[in-house]
Amino acid sequence: MMSQKFNPSRWAVEHPQLIGFLMIISLIAGGWQFTNLGRAEDPNFTLKSMTISAQWSGASPDALQAQVIDPLEQELRGIEFLGPVRA
């Protein structure tokens, strides 16, 4: 006689009480886990970036570059843990 393969559908139909119990346990466990989900809308880390703006009314762009922007950029490049500086 040929051995029959295990048929999970037939087994489930033949054991309705056990399947019902497992379904109830799954629903309770799922509901409990849903109530314990994290609700953080924003991530727990901070992306640190900085934008520097300089205005000097009446100064030419070359004067602003030479007297404000270049010295400020040199100071920022001297900071050890600062990432790339873009002008």
Side-chain angles (χ1 to χ4, degrees):
M1 182 171 162
M2 258 173 100
S3 66
Q4 289 184 326
K5 291 174 62 175
F6 177 68
N7 186 342
S9 299
R10 180 184 301 262
W11 183 87
V13 169
E14 292 172 354
H15 299 89
Q17 293 86 6
L18 183 59
I19 296 301
F21 175 74
L22 292 175
M23 287 175 60
I24 290 171
I25 294 297
S26 295
L27 287 172
I28 291 171
W32 183 68
Q33 287 297 322
F34 179 75
T35 61
N36 292 330
L37 281 175
R39 302 279 188 241
E41 188 173 307
D42 297 323
N44 292 330
F45 57 89
T46 304
L47 299 175
K48 297 178 181 178
S49 64
M50 174 174 30
T51 302
I52 299 174
S53 175
Q55 296 179 2
W56 187 358
S57 298
S60 69
D62 293 332
L64 184 64
Q65 179 79 33
Q67 295 181 17
V68 177
I69 297 172
D70 287 343
L72 183 59
E73 188 176 330
Q74 289 303 322
E75 284 293 320
L76 290 174
R77 288 185 191 279
I79 298 174
E80 183 179 350
F81 296 107
L82 185 67
V85 176
R86 292 182 292 163

